[in-house]
Amino acid sequence: MQIKTTYIEQDSLLSRTVEWLRYPLMLLIVLIHTDTTLLTSMPQDGLSAIFYYITRTIVRVAVPMFFIISGYFFFRKPDIFSMEAYWAKIKKRVLTLLVPYIFWNYFVWAFQMGVVVWQGHADWIARDTFTLPNIVDVVVGWGEGYQGMPKAFQLWFLRDLMIVCLLSPLLHLLLKNRRSYVLLLLFTVFYLMPWPDNWHLIFMRFPSALLFFSVGAYWGIHNKNIINIVRKIPIWLSALLTILLLVVHVWQCMTGGHYIILFEKLFSIVAVVPTWQIASKIVERQRLKPVEWIANSNFLLFVLHPTIIYYLLVYPFGGNVSNTPLHFWIVYVAELIVPVFVCVILYAIMVRIFPRTTALLTGGRSGKNKNAIFASFL
């Protein structure tokens, strides 16, 4: 009985850690996209640059964490993965992933064109914009102007997540073998290898989805508790390796090194472990829970933060901010705080006026629907 109780407690800790982590990790995603023309127009040096590159490195742990948990909960239940379970999961993700993905890409597309027309520059819209291939490419991202991402570029995560979900029967077949760590090593090499010049950019980010979703899938398939796994590694060791890679990556950024991308990826792999260790300890000791009225705006923040940053900060203030460390950090913090503030208010209004539509546009994600949290972890 004691063993069963312990298992339930450990599973509960994992769920509570995941629930608490999702908003802080989303803030890191927002910080990833603060490298705007407004901010880069104010280049820094010395301590200001060092602190900036430290933050630019730390944020790289967010995407791997999202993919790992998505993969874990995709396979965690039911215990037996069958084709019936597969199709049930895929149908659920049509609502939690595909519908919001399609809507928000076309929303951003229409919003940007609407702004152009409102400014009196309708002639800037190319004549072939509304051809079928270009309309479809809004959600595909194959065209040269998209750089391998959909129109709402941050939604490449949902696109690649949907792909690995569709491939889940093959991944299950390959990962159910307990020696499948060899396959994970191959995925790691694929993730770390230099990007071939002749490959299309649409494939550039997929190794990230493949590796980290598969890591989570492996733990889910074999019924492993993530927190138990990472706690087997001494926290001093995981922290030391993470700090060393952080220092090297910052040094590469400061000196314009040739291995910036490599050390960024190495950091993103290693930093996953102390992130789990520290987050689970905080939740365990402090009994922390997310603030629902803030956390519920999580998905809205994900889909709207680049648009908010551009139209409320970059566009009105571009070229009007002097290059000083103080102004640099004010802009940097503003590019995080403003989208957070806007999305919290917008979500509160939306969910009050049309709650069902809001649930549809956010994939059913809310504090009242815990299962939706684990559907894609966004």
Side-chain angles (χ1 to χ4, degrees):
M1 180 65 67
Q2 182 63 36
I3 295 177
K4 183 177 181 180
T5 302
T6 302
Y7 176 83
I8 293 174
E9 290 176 349
Q10 292 170 343
D11 209 41
S12 173
L13 176 59
L14 174 61
S15 297
R16 287 186 287 117
T17 302
V18 168
E19 185 179 358
W20 179 78
L21 262 176
R22 65 186 186 117
Y23 197 81
L25 289 178
M26 186 55 67
L27 296 181
L28 296 186
I29 293 294
V30 177
L31 283 175
I32 290 176
H33 300 139
T34 56
D35 57 341
T36 61
T37 55
L38 176 59
L39 202 68
T40 56
S41 67
M42 298 183 286
Q44 299 294 292
D45 54 21
L47 286 176
S48 183
I50 291 174
F51 285 126
Y52 173 66
Y53 285 125
I54 287 175
T55 63
R56 297 298 299 170
T57 306
I58 291 174
V59 298
R60 299 301 169 180
V61 75
V63 170
M65 288 291 292
F66 277 123
F67 276 127
I68 286 173
I69 298 180
S70 297
Y72 180 80
F73 283 102
F74 189 93
F75 289 99
R76 181 65 176 80
K77 292 180 180 180
D79 294 333
I80 299 177
F81 186 79
S82 61
M83 290 308 298
E84 289 79 11
Y86 167 73
W87 286 115
K89 291 174 182 290
I90 294 300
K91 289 179 182 178
K92 181 182 293 185
R93 278 153 183 80
V94 168
L95 292 177
T96 60
L97 298 176
L98 181 61
V99 171
Y101 176 80
I102 292 175
F103 173 83
W104 289 109
N105 270 299
Y106 284 116
F107 172 85
V108 171
W109 184 56
F111 180 83
Q112 291 178 352
M113 285 191 294
V115 171
V116 170
V117 172
W118 178 71
Q119 292 175 334
H121 302 298
D123 55 307
W124 289 2
I125 300 176
R127 292 183 178 180
D128 62 348
T129 297
F130 299 103
T131 60
L132 182 59
N134 286 335
I135 292 175
V136 172
D137 204 31
V138 169
V139 295
V140 175
W142 185 266
E144 293 182 1
Y146 291 102
Q147 297 183 327
M149 297 176 286
K151 184 61 179 179
F153 64 87
Q154 73 281 13
L155 298 189
W156 72 265
F157 173 87
L158 294 188
R159 180 194 63 193
D160 289 10
L161 178 58
M162 287 187 287
I163 293 174
V164 288
C165 286
L166 289 173
L167 295 175
S168 58
L170 177 60
L171 290 175
H172 181 269
L173 179 65
L174 296 172
L175 294 170
K176 68 179 181 180
N177 189 318
R178 292 192 176 274
R179 293 185 178 181
S180 54
Y181 60 85
V182 176
L183 181 66
L184 294 178
L185 287 176
L186 290 176
F187 288 167
T188 303
V189 172
F190 187 41
Y191 173 66
L192 294 174
M193 64 181 287
W195 188 248
D197 293 334
N198 59 338
W199 282 27
H200 195 281
L201 290 175
I202 200 171
F203 303 112
M204 183 174 67
R205 293 165 184 82
F206 187 68
S208 174
L210 184 61
L211 170 61
F212 295 110
F213 184 89
S214 296
V215 169
Y218 175 82
W219 288 334
I221 291 169
H222 296 285
N223 201 22
K224 303 289 186 180
N225 185 289
I226 298 178
I227 294 176
N228 290 344
I229 295 295
V230 298
R231 285 185 173 180
K232 292 179 180 179
I233 302 173
I235 192 168
W236 67 265
L237 178 60
S238 63
L240 177 62
L241 290 176
T242 300
I243 292 172
L244 286 175
L245 287 170
L246 171 65
V247 170
V248 174
H249 183 254
V250 170
W251 174 72
Q252 284 280 302
C253 292
M254 293 288 292
T255 60
H258 299 293
Y259 303 102
I260 293 176
I261 302 299
L262 174 61
F263 283 103
E264 176 184 294
K265 291 181 177 181
L266 287 172
F267 175 87
S268 68
I269 294 173
V270 175
V272 162
V273 176
T275 300
W276 276 113
Q277 292 172 325
I278 295 171
S280 62
K281 282 294 183 183
I282 292 175
V283 172
E284 186 177 37
R285 293 180 179 179
Q286 304 299 325
R287 301 289 181 180
L288 293 180
K289 293 183 179 180
V291 181
E292 286 196 5
W293 62 275
I294 296 177
N296 289 350
S297 64
N298 194 55
F299 188 79
L300 205 61
L301 179 61
F302 173 57
V303 297
L304 288 180
H305 72 269
T307 302
I308 294 171
I309 290 173
Y310 180 80
Y311 287 102
L312 293 187
L313 292 170
V314 177
Y315 182 74
F317 294 104
N320 298 316
V321 182
S322 59
N323 182 17
T324 66
L326 177 60
H327 290 168
F328 176 87
W329 288 101
I330 289 175
V331 170
Y332 191 35
V333 173
E335 290 188 349
L336 172 66
I337 298 300
V338 171
V340 168
F341 184 74
V342 171
C343 287
V344 167
I345 294 177
L346 183 60
Y347 182 84
I349 295 173
M350 290 173 59
V351 80
R352 186 175 183 83
I353 297 176
F354 38 86
R356 292 185 178 180
T357 303
T358 302
L360 179 66
L361 300 183
T362 60
R365 297 165 180 84
S366 71
K368 297 179 181 179
N369 187 0
K370 303 300 184 187
N371 291 330
I373 293 174
F374 305 131
S376 69
F377 187 52
L378 285 177

